[in-house]
Amino acid sequence: MSRTALTREEVLEAADDLVKQHGPDALTMRGLAARLGTAVTSIYWHVGNRESLLDALVERTVEEMGAIQPTGRTPATRIVSVARRLRGELHARPHLIAVVHERGLTERVFLPAQRALVREVHSAGLRGARAAEAVRAVQFQVVGFVLVECARELAPAQATGRERPGKTVSARKDPALARALARPVDPERLFTASVRALVKSLLAQGNN
Amino acid sequence: MSRTALTREEVLEAADDLVKQHGPDALTMRGLAARLGTAVTSIYWHVGNRESLLDALVERTVEEMGAIQPTGRTPATRIVSVARRLRGELHARPHLIAVVHERGLTERVFLPAQRALVREVHSAGLRGARAAEAVRAVQFQVVGFVLVECARELAPAQATGRERPGKTVSARKDPALARALARPVDPERLFTASVRALVKSLLAQGNN
DNA sequence: ACCTGAACACCGTTCAAGT
DNA sequence: ACCTGAACACCGTTCAAGT
């Protein structure tokens, strides 16, 4: 008993550090205890078990992210700004989104942007079920994109395999297309283009 | 030595069964050995280790899925049909996509649809880098959506937390919107609507 | 070439016991 | 209320030894 009393907050903080630096797999109860200088079993008293510790970590981080404020003049650009901001926040915490995925907490991660999206969609003239669908389409689009992005980064040496897609239309009729597909993706660019395209269509539905 | 010679194919088959039924976490080398009636270490001789076993599983399944043929008359509907088919194939194998995600093999799962998407985007009049971007936007959209979908199913009891989004614009100005957001998502419907919206915009860029 | 058991270095979790 | 060590039931992987 050489250390000051252990607190739940202290445990979460140390766990967060561990996950931030080396990913969720590096978070072991024993390793955490060692870092804190306590017995493994003390941790259980404060946070229950590993699963609820991870849940608490997600909750902590999402709260820390807070709500997202749109910028821009038209509803479309404002929605795109929210999407980009949300992607930025999530992307800055790649390990968190790994946890979010494995613990099935995607819903939670939708929320920081929800308020803002609802407001913008509404002011773009969408109402009722159609507005809700637009909000959700954007939420799924953003979170889905980030999930794919992080999964790709996890294994950067993608062995594309022998199943080269080319030689059909691309290589013969449109070499520029083939070249573009052979180049690595620019995620930020692709993201913005995708969201812009999606939002444009969604908002256009209001003017029918 | 009471059993017939162990083969790599036999190992993969048993592993596939295990993953299909109880998910990747249920695939342990020891459990697999027990099911096959061999020593754990025999498996290592045939497949290397657990990681490459999982990789082989993904490869096997994606090959089994094969290429995807579009249906419909216009490029837009044909692309949407490809997207829906790809989602269907992936969604029918929720455990596979869990593996895909944790092993970072998203790229691989893009391929079955790539050929078809390239052809349709091309016949819709898109060329070069712009066409490639459209193909990728759809690929990311589909795979991202399925990832989110599967993560949500993993934890169906989503504790939304106290951070209810309502009461801002929705509840007061547009109760129908609030109600729609409170209802659970219909993923198939949302998926189709999202892809349709995205594709519409992407193809419209060709006619500028 | 293929299979084996034993051993190593890990896990998360429980539980009775301490203060 | 909080902390502890010991123990249980697992993991993946390696390795020397067998046939």
Side-chain angles (χ1 to χ4, degrees):
Chain A
M1 77 128 70
S2 59
R3 66 183 310 293
T4 155
L6 189 63
T7 63
R8 182 184 155 87
E9 202 44 44
E10 205 180 344
V11 175
L12 291 181
E13 192 58 41
D16 200 37
D17 276 9
L18 231 39
V19 171
K20 228 175 247 151
Q21 287 174 30
H22 308 104
D25 289 350
L27 176 67
T28 71
M29 301 303 269
R30 290 175 141 94
L32 186 54
R35 172 186 270 247
L36 286 166
T38 51
V40 207
T41 40
S42 304
I43 296 174
Y44 283 82
W45 198 93
H46 287 282
V47 298
N49 56 25
R50 189 174 180 273
E51 301 219 326
S52 47
L53 170 55
L54 286 173
D55 287 352
L57 242 46
V58 171
E59 186 55 34
R60 232 176 79 108
T61 319
V62 175
E63 270 169 22
E64 171 193 315
M65 281 175 38
I68 290 177
Q69 298 298 332
T71 64
R73 291 182 333 284
T74 69
T77 60
R78 289 165 70 83
I79 291 173
V80 172
S81 84
V82 169
R84 297 186 64 172
R85 195 93 122 232
L86 180 55
R87 169 177 175 272
E89 297 276 11
L90 297 177
H91 202 69
R93 301 162 172 87
H95 295 317
L96 170 83
I97 86 103
V99 178
V100 164
H101 187 259
E102 79 180 51
R103 304 261 343 113
L105 297 172
T106 358
E107 214 82 358
R108 184 64 185 88
V109 119
F110 281 171
L111 287 185
Q114 177 141 174
R115 248 191 200 12
L117 288 177
V118 165
R119 200 182 299 116
E120 295 308 327
V121 154
H122 189 268
S123 88
L126 297 195
R127 295 294 127 91
R130 177 157 286 183
E133 194 176 70
V135 168
R136 272 168 170 163
V138 174
Q139 289 176 319
F140 270 70
Q141 163 108 323
V142 173
V143 178
F145 195 98
V146 176
L147 282 176
V148 172
E149 229 178 328
C150 289
R152 291 180 74 250
E153 282 169 14
L154 206 136
Q158 294 270 3
T160 333
R162 57 215 160 294
E163 196 147 333
R164 313 303 279 98
K167 307 288 178 287
T168 314
V169 166
S170 37
R172 222 188 308 277
K173 291 205 211 166
D174 192 344
L177 199 176
R179 274 201 311 278
L181 277 178
R183 271 198 299 274
V185 187
D186 176 347
E188 170 128 28
R189 195 183 152 79
L190 180 62
F191 176 78
T192 306
S194 298
V195 176
R196 244 198 273 274
L198 179 71
V199 170
K200 189 177 174 186
S201 281
L202 290 174
L203 296 195
Q205 291 179 347
N207 320 332
N208 294 349
Chain B
M1 81 124 73
S2 59
R3 66 183 311 291
T4 155
L6 189 65
T7 64
R8 182 184 157 87
E9 201 46 43
E10 205 181 343
V11 174
L12 290 181
E13 190 60 40
D16 200 37
D17 276 9
L18 232 37
V19 173
K20 229 175 247 153
Q21 287 174 30
H22 309 103
D25 289 349
L27 176 67
T28 73
M29 303 304 268
R30 291 175 139 95
L32 187 55
R35 173 186 269 246
L36 287 165
T38 51
V40 206
T41 40
S42 304
I43 296 174
Y44 282 82
W45 198 91
H46 288 282
V47 298
N49 56 24
R50 197 181 112 97
E51 301 219 326
S52 47
L53 170 55
L54 286 173
D55 287 351
L57 242 46
V58 171
E59 187 54 35
R60 231 176 78 107
T61 319
V62 176
E63 271 170 19
E64 170 195 316
M65 282 175 37
I68 290 178
Q69 298 297 332
T71 63
R73 292 184 330 284
T74 68
T77 61
R78 289 164 71 81
I79 291 173
V80 173
S81 83
V82 170
R84 297 187 63 171
R85 195 94 121 230
L86 181 55
R87 171 179 173 270
E89 298 275 13
L90 297 177
H91 203 71
R93 301 163 173 85
H95 295 317
L96 170 82
I97 84 103
V99 178
V100 164
H101 187 258
E102 79 179 50
R103 303 266 336 115
L105 297 171
T106 357
E107 214 82 359
R108 183 63 185 88
V109 118
F110 281 171
L111 287 184
Q114 178 143 166
R115 250 194 203 1
L117 288 177
V118 165
R119 200 181 300 116
E120 297 308 325
V121 154
H122 189 268
S123 86
L126 297 196
R127 294 296 126 89
R130 177 156 287 185
E133 193 176 70
V135 168
R136 271 166 172 165
V138 174
Q139 289 178 319
F140 270 70
Q141 161 110 323
V142 174
V143 178
F145 195 97
V146 176
L147 283 176
V148 172
E149 229 179 327
C150 289
R152 291 180 74 249
E153 284 169 14
L154 207 135
Q158 295 269 4
T160 331
R162 58 219 159 292
E163 195 147 334
R164 313 301 278 102
K167 308 287 178 288
T168 314
V169 165
S170 38
R172 224 187 308 276
K173 290 204 209 164
D174 190 345
L177 200 177
R179 274 200 311 278
L181 277 179
R183 271 198 298 277
V185 187
D186 176 347
E188 169 129 27
R189 194 183 154 79
L190 180 62
F191 176 78
T192 307
S194 298
V195 177
R196 244 198 276 273
L198 179 72
V199 170
K200 190 177 173 186
S201 281
L202 290 173
L203 296 194
Q205 292 178 343
N207 320 329
N208 295 352

